[in-house]
Amino acid sequence: MHPTLGAELISPIKKLANVAPMIENSHERFDGLGYPHGKKGTDIPLGARIISVVDSYSAMHDTRPYKEPYSTPGSLKS
């Protein structure tokens, strides 16, 4: 539910209202197996697809409480 709640939280802010659909759809998947609406392909707003890629990269390369980051070729992390 967090994408929907996030969208609801920012939608009253006029300057961020156009970002709400991107947040709400950021966990949709291109194959239609995402959530909360099961959208697929180009039915997912472009901004939501970009947020999804950035979130995935961040999840892989940032330190999380439950895992160490993956190394990136050419990075100083090992």
Side-chain angles (χ1 to χ4, degrees), residues 10-18:
I10 68 154
S11 60
I13 304 168
K14 290 181 182 182
K15 289 188 177 189
L16 296 177
N18 63 332

Side-chain angles (χ1 to χ4, degrees), residues 2 4 8 14 18 27 29 31-32 36 44 52 55 58 65 69 78:
H2 76 273
T4 302
E8 288 175 9
K14 290 181 182 182
N18 63 332
H27 284 274
R29 287 182 27 176
D31 61 6
I44 304 166
S52 178
D55 183 50
S58 174
S78 48

Side-chain angles (χ1 to χ4, degrees), residues 26-41:
S26 64
H27 284 274
E28 300 290 357
R29 287 182 27 176
F30 215 72
D31 61 6
L33 298 177
Y35 62 92
H37 306 293
K39 291 182 180 181
K40 65 179 177 176

